[in-house]
Amino acid sequence: GAVVSQHPSRVICKSGTSVKIECRSLDFQATTMFWYRQFPKQSLMLMATSNEGSKATYEQGVEKDKFLINHASLTLSTLTVTSAHPEDSSFYICSASRSGRLSTDTQYFGPGTRLTVL
Amino acid sequence: AQTVTQSQPEMSVQEAETVTLSCTYDTSESDYYLFWYKQPPSRQMILVIRQEAYKQQNATENRFSVNFQKAAKSFSLKISDSQLGDAAMYFCAYRSRTSYGKLTFGQGTILTVHP
C-alpha cells in the first residue's frame, strides 16, 4: 500500500509558541490531504481538507487562523498550530488520497503526531 | 449530514473465536463507500475492509468479512479465528461518492482478545 509519513512523531512546546507538523506522501501524488485530531480513546475528528494549490476547507468549529494548513505540493501538506495552548494538546493524524472530488481511491493515513503543550 | 454510529464501546473475544462489531449509518445518498479501519496501540490507522454501496456482495478479506444491509443502513464486521494481533480500536467509516474522499467516522469499538 501507499506510504504516508508525518514529522515529527512527538513534539513538546511551550504555551504561546507555534508548531509545524509535516505530512508527506512518499510514493504517490496526493491531490487531497486531510487533517484529523484525536483525543485518547475517542474517534478521529476531521479538522480540514486540503487540495494541492488551493486553500484548505475547514470543518465547522475549527479555527482557520489557529490551525494553518498549507498544501503547496502534491506530496507535502503542513499543519501549523499557532500560539499553542495546553488545550491544543492532542494526537494529530494526516491522511492522503490520490484522487480529487470524485475520489474512488483509498485514503492512506500517516502514523500521527503527538503534540503536548506545556 | 451523514452520521455513523458504533453502539459497542468495548467488545471482547477469546482467541480463535468469532466476534462481530456493529455499525449503523444515516445518509440520504445512494452511492457511497463504507470502511472498517483498525487502530492498534501504535495508533497507525490500518484499512481492514472496504465496501462499495452499489455492490450487493459482501466484501471479504481473509478472516474479515462484512454484513452490508443497505436498506437497514447497517455495516457490521465479522472477525473469524480471532488472533491476539486483532486487539485494537476499530472504526467504521462512511465516505460519500463526491466529497473529495472525506471520511465520517463512528465512535470506535475497543476489541480485546483473550488468550
Side-chain angles (χ1 to χ4, degrees), chain A residues 27-82:
Chain A
D27 53 0
F28 68 100
Q29 292 188 325
T31 303
T32 307
M33 287 185 166
F34 305 85
W35 286 96
Y36 296 87
R37 183 173 181 176
Q38 185 183 30
F39 291 105
K41 295 190 177 182
Q42 293 189 24
S43 188
L44 281 70
M45 182 192 78
L46 179 66
M47 299 174 67
T49 302
S50 74
N51 292 289
E52 187 264 340
S54 61
K55 289 184 178 180
T57 301
Y58 289 81
E59 295 299 300
Q60 191 173 8
V62 177
E63 298 176 62
K64 60 181 66 177
D65 293 332
K66 180 166 188 61
F67 299 101
L68 301 178
I69 291 171
N70 183 276
H71 191 166
S73 78
L74 285 172
T75 58
L76 173 65
S77 177
T78 60
L79 166 67
T80 301
V81 183
T82 62

Side-chain angles (χ1 to χ4, degrees), chain A residues 32 34 36 38 41-44 46 51 59 91 93 100-107 109-111 114, chain B residues 33 37 39 42-45 47 50 89 91 95 97-103 105-108 110:
Chain A
T32 307
F34 305 85
Y36 296 87
Q38 185 183 30
K41 295 190 177 182
Q42 293 189 24
S43 188
L44 281 70
L46 179 66
N51 292 289
E59 295 299 300
F91 194 68
I93 304 174
R101 184 168 182 266
L102 297 179
S103 174
T104 59
D105 193 36
T106 297
Q107 205 174 118
F109 285 82
R114 180 175 301 284
Chain B
Y33 303 90
Y37 280 91
Q39 188 179 43
S42 68
R43 303 192 79 169
Q44 171 73 60
M45 295 288 283
L47 177 64
R50 158 186 170 142
M89 192 153 186
F91 293 99
R95 192 179 86 196
R97 177 76 172 83
T98 59
S99 64
Y100 288 100
K102 174 180 167 179
L103 288 169
F105 286 93
Q107 302 90 327
I110 298 173

